Amino acid sequence: IQSSISMADLKERLLPPKTPSVANLRDSSYRPSASVHQPFHGVDVTGLKKRGQGLRSWIRVDALGNSQVIEVDKFTIMRRCDLPARDLRLLDPLFVYPSTILGREKAIVINLEQIRCIITADEVLLLNSLDSYVFQYVVELQKRLTTAGVGEVWRSEATDLSSRSGNRSFDSLFGSTSPDYLPFEFKALEVALEAACTFLDSQAAELEIEAYPLLDELTSKISTLNLERARRLKSRLVALTRRVQKVRDEIEQLMDDDGDMAEMYLTEKKRRMELFFSGDQSVTGFRSSDGVQSVSAPVSPVSSPPDGSRRLEKSLSIARSRQSARSTESGTERIEELEMLLEAYFVVIDSTLNKLTSLKEYIDDTEDFINIQLDSVRNQLIQFELLLTTATFVVAIFGVVAGIFGMNFPIALFDDSGAFKWVLLITGVTGAFIFCSFLWFFKHRRLMPL
């Protein structure tokens, strides 16, 4: 009850009248107020996607933990994050795609169950949804970013204090690299992985709670209703196992490819790119001061020929590709922190998969047990039918004797008063002997446990 009340209060707080515009997204100087970290401001539940305008509602969370709801079109997101259209289709809620984690030049595209987002070096763009797991993802990400910000301040103050006092104990305490000081993109990725693994694990736990009593009841009482419930349960188990297996394969594929993990160091690549261009601009200024025109210098559209802009674009593209290659090579050497992060959640999702595998084996064992029971009942019915057939054959002997003596012809035996008793006795003894002979034959052939 408390969780439902808190969720209702949370939704009431998320309905301010105004929504930030697209210009606020493009303006890098725009930052919401960080005094109050509510989940997000300006949620418009009736306008998650405006028809006719091509706008879609996104939740933007920056590196400081501030969140806002923005409405932008697909092409703006493609230009801002440098993503192709096929990557954005993975995030479309109208289509069902398997779980995917893609590392691109400037962003990480994540499609993990209900969490569909784009992670850059400075922000997270999450598809706005009324799903509770989306709210929990935003709240948890804000909490971790706020906590990380406090830890960084504490770490910097401790470093200043240790440098003034000359004591190295603070350096040994705060100077080491800790998992709490991950880059922004890895913090967002960790929250997404945690949300997906938690959701799948909760689904597996609910399935276990429902499955085991049903299967135990099915072993004691085989009925059409219980069999139908078991069939539906197995269908849900197969679907959930497929989803868990896909998430596990995606994490394992990332762990096996060092190049993909190196591509996901967005903060490092951004820092190296800024250093490269700042150094390039300083060299350009030095060359221009000597009177030599640089290719990477800003080209005026009035005084420069058209091929100057082409050379500039070519130089920028070459510089970007070289810097990307350098960052990839450098990231390949230091991907341990991302690999450790992926390994932790690989263990979690593998544990969930083991639970589902054990449940599937239990269902298979139950099916085998039911089939054995049905085979046993079927064998008993066959044995009973065999006994009835043998008894029918013995009784048919009396009919044969009665048919023979019922012929219309004179015989001296008909005049004897005790002949009927002797015929009945001899026929009965003969029938009993034949019946016992059949039983001995069935026992000898092990057709019937007698």
Side-chain angles (χ1 to χ4, degrees):
I1 298 175
Q2 294 179 357
S3 61
S4 60
I5 293 176
S6 61
M7 184 59 68
D9 297 338
L10 180 62
K11 290 185 178 180
E12 288 180 0
R13 285 184 292 164
L14 301 180
L15 298 173
K18 272 189 143 181
T19 303
S21 60
V22 182
N24 294 333
L25 173 64
R26 298 177 178 177
D27 188 6
S28 59
S29 63
Y30 176 77
R31 291 290 183 272
S33 176
S35 60
V36 180
H37 289 286
Q38 296 181 358
F40 22 83
H41 305 280
V43 174
D44 186 8
V45 296
T46 61
L48 297 183
K49 182 178 180 181
K50 291 189 176 181
R51 298 180 179 178
Q53 299 181 7
L55 299 180
R56 190 178 292 277
S57 180
W58 297 77
I59 302 171
R60 177 182 177 272
V61 182
D62 59 11
L64 299 177
N66 303 316
S67 62
Q68 61 177 150
V69 175
I70 57 176
E71 291 181 353
V72 293
D73 57 353
K74 179 175 66 175
F75 300 102
T76 304
I77 295 294
M78 290 170 57
R79 289 192 301 268
R80 182 177 182 84
C81 302
D82 196 12
L83 292 175
R86 63 176 180 272
D87 290 346
L88 289 184
R89 293 192 192 99
L90 297 175
L91 308 180
D92 197 339
L94 301 179
F95 299 97
V96 179
Y97 288 98
S99 298
T100 308
I101 302 176
L102 299 176
R104 298 305 186 209
E105 179 66 26
K106 294 183 179 180
I108 302 174
V109 182
I110 294 179
N111 178 16
L112 294 175
E113 296 301 321
Q114 283 81 6
I115 307 301
R116 303 185 178 192
C117 61
I118 301 173
I119 302 175
T120 64
D122 302 321
E123 61 186 3
V124 176
L125 297 176
L126 184 73
L127 271 178
N128 196 359
S129 174
L130 298 180
D131 195 289
S132 61
Y133 283 92
V134 177
F135 285 88
Q136 293 176 8
Y137 174 81
V138 176
V139 172
E140 182 65 23
L141 181 59
Q142 289 179 337
K143 184 187 302 183
R144 297 196 182 187
L145 292 176
T146 306
T147 306
V150 174
E152 290 291 342
V153 173
W154 189 17
R155 185 183 181 186
S156 62
E157 291 179 355
T159 304
D160 295 340
L161 182 60
S162 62
S163 61
R164 293 176 183 177
S165 61
N167 190 1
R168 295 185 179 180
S169 61
F170 290 99
D171 293 336
S172 61
L173 182 60
F174 296 100
S176 61
T177 303
S178 173
D180 296 336
Y181 303 106
L182 291 173
F184 170 75
E185 63 270 16
F186 291 166
K187 295 176 183 177
L189 176 62
E190 181 181 9
V191 177
L193 289 172
E194 182 179 352
C197 294
T198 304
F199 174 73
L200 293 174
D201 190 70
S202 64
Q203 293 284 321
E206 292 177 2
L207 202 60
E208 283 183 333
I209 294 174
E210 183 181 354
Y212 286 112
L214 173 61
L215 297 176
D216 294 338
E217 182 183 358
L218 186 60
T219 55
S220 61
K221 181 182 178 181
I222 302 175
S223 62
T224 305
L225 179 60
N226 289 337
L227 289 175
E228 177 64 22
R229 292 172 59 190
R231 185 190 65 83
R232 295 178 181 176
L233 179 68
K234 190 173 182 180
S235 300
R236 291 169 53 193
L237 175 63
V238 171
L240 182 59
T241 304
R242 189 181 299 114
R243 289 158 52 193
V244 173
Q245 183 69 44
K246 179 58 181 174
V247 175
R248 180 185 179 276
D249 293 342
E250 195 68 25
I251 297 177
E252 186 177 11
Q253 183 180 359
L254 276 177
M255 293 171 57
D256 293 338
D257 196 337
D258 295 345
D260 289 346
M261 285 193 289
E263 282 292 330
M264 300 174 72
Y265 280 78
L266 304 179
T267 303
E268 183 70 18
K269 288 195 294 184
K270 180 182 177 182
R271 185 182 65 84
R272 289 177 177 273
M273 187 67 69
E274 291 176 352
L275 291 176
F276 178 80
F277 280 109
S278 62
D280 190 22
Q281 288 178 1
S282 62
V283 172
T284 302
F286 177 75
R287 290 181 179 179
S288 61
S289 63
D290 292 343
V292 181
Q293 185 177 1
S294 174
V295 177
S296 60
V299 181
S300 174
V302 179
S303 59
S304 300
D307 57 347
S309 60
R310 297 178 184 176
R311 290 198 304 268
L312 176 60
E313 293 177 358
K314 184 177 180 180
S315 175
L316 291 176
S317 62
I318 293 175
R320 181 179 298 178
S321 62
R322 289 179 179 176
Q323 185 63 25
S324 176
R326 292 176 184 175
S327 62
T328 302
E329 293 175 358
S330 175
T332 306
E333 299 175 357
R334 47 180 305 275
I335 58 175
E336 289 83 6
E337 55 184 6
L338 178 57
E339 190 173 4
M340 292 175 60
L341 174 65
L342 294 176
E343 281 180 356
Y345 290 97
F346 178 80
V347 172
V348 174
I349 200 67
D350 190 64
S351 175
T352 304
L353 184 60
N354 291 333
K355 289 181 183 179
L356 296 177
T357 304
S358 301
L359 182 57
K360 186 178 183 302
E361 292 177 354
Y362 192 81
I363 292 177
D364 294 338
D365 294 340
T366 305
E367 289 180 350
D368 295 339
F369 180 75
I370 291 173
N371 291 330
I372 292 173
Q373 281 188 334
L374 294 178
D375 291 340
S376 177
V377 173
R378 191 181 299 110
N379 292 335
Q380 293 177 1
L381 292 176
I382 292 174
Q383 293 172 4
F384 183 69
E385 184 182 2
L386 188 60
L387 287 176
L388 288 181
T389 304
T390 306
T392 304
F393 176 74
V394 172
V395 173
I397 296 176
F398 288 89
V400 172
V401 174
I404 292 174
F405 284 99
M407 297 294 179
N408 191 11
F409 59 89
I411 188 173
L413 190 61
F414 291 159
D415 298 334
D416 190 359
S417 58
F420 176 74
K421 296 180 181 179
W422 283 104
V423 171
L424 186 62
L425 180 61
I426 293 172
T427 306
V429 171
T430 304
F433 176 75
I434 295 174
F435 186 75
C436 292
S437 300
F438 272 111
L439 292 181
W440 177 84
F441 176 77
F442 294 153
K443 183 179 180 180
H444 180 69
R445 290 288 185 174
R446 296 181 179 178
L447 300 176
M448 188 180 299
L450 297 174

